Amino acid sequence: MTRGPISETAWRVTARVSLVVAAAVIVLTSLVGRASAAELVMFVETGCPWCVRWDREVGEAYARSEEGRIAPLRRVPISGQRSAGVRLAANVTVTPTFVLADGGVEVGRITGYPGSDFFWGLLGQLMSRLAPDSPGRPRNAGVERVVQEASSSVRQAVKGPRGGMMD
């Protein structure tokens, strides 16, 4: 059984819906892809006494902190900085060096370990540089808004200009 050619109106509606859905998928994919974009990369070296001191004074607390939730810690050997997956502003030459990255790009860094009080203060300053839509910042509202707008656009495209389903 063969069907006749698709009507021009149905074709237009299908094309509009396809464009809206494609745009929504692209936007949502980029937002979901950033879900774990912020991270604190700790460049370390075997035998580094300051790295050991950081582990003892801050390590466990960082994992449980709000900062740790927003930017989970990832340790990278200093020798592996080129393959760390972070676009660094400059080479890392001291351990520990803490690089706050968002979307794989360095936002800022703390070179060395100046003690826990200084570390938390400096980290707070770095965290304030994260984009408003970074993980841990209010972002679900943005995703929900995109989904609602896409749904509304699809409904409008299906209804057509005169309000009936596929005019």
Side-chain angles (χ1 to χ4, degrees), residues 30-48:
S30 69
L31 290 173
V32 170
R34 288 180 49 83
S36 61
E39 65 178 342
L40 184 65
V41 182
M42 179 181 180
F43 289 94
V44 297
E45 188 171 38
T46 304
C48 167

Side-chain angles (χ1 to χ4, degrees), residues 40-95:
L40 184 65
V41 182
M42 179 181 180
F43 289 94
V44 297
E45 188 171 38
T46 304
C48 167
W50 295 102
C51 299
V52 172
R53 184 174 169 197
W54 184 88
D55 286 336
R56 188 178 58 245
E57 295 177 3
V58 177
E60 288 183 32
Y62 183 81
R64 294 187 310 266
S65 70
E66 181 68 13
E67 292 87 348
R69 187 183 67 72
I70 293 169
L73 181 71
R74 180 168 59 103
R75 294 171 190 269
V76 174
I78 193 169
S79 61
Q81 63 185 291
R82 290 186 183 217
S83 59
V86 176
R87 189 169 2 137
L88 297 170
N91 287 336
V92 175
T93 58
V94 173
T95 59

Side-chain angles (χ1 to χ4, degrees), residues 88-164:
L88 297 170
N91 287 336
V92 175
T93 58
V94 173
T95 59
T97 293
F98 302 89
V99 174
L100 181 62
D102 191 12
V105 178
E106 180 176 339
V107 172
R109 67 174 65 187
I110 301 169
T111 302
Y113 176 61
S116 64
D117 291 337
F118 285 105
F119 173 81
W120 288 110
L122 293 170
L123 182 62
Q125 291 174 4
L126 290 181
M127 298 295 280
S128 70
R129 296 180 191 172
L130 288 174
D133 66 343
S134 293
R137 306 284 176 121
R139 62 185 282 104
N140 291 340
V143 172
E144 291 171 10
R145 181 181 45 75
V146 169
V147 171
Q148 289 173 350
E149 288 174 4
S151 298
S152 175
S153 297
V154 169
R155 281 193 300 275
Q156 183 61 36
V158 171
K159 286 183 180 179
R162 291 178 280 202

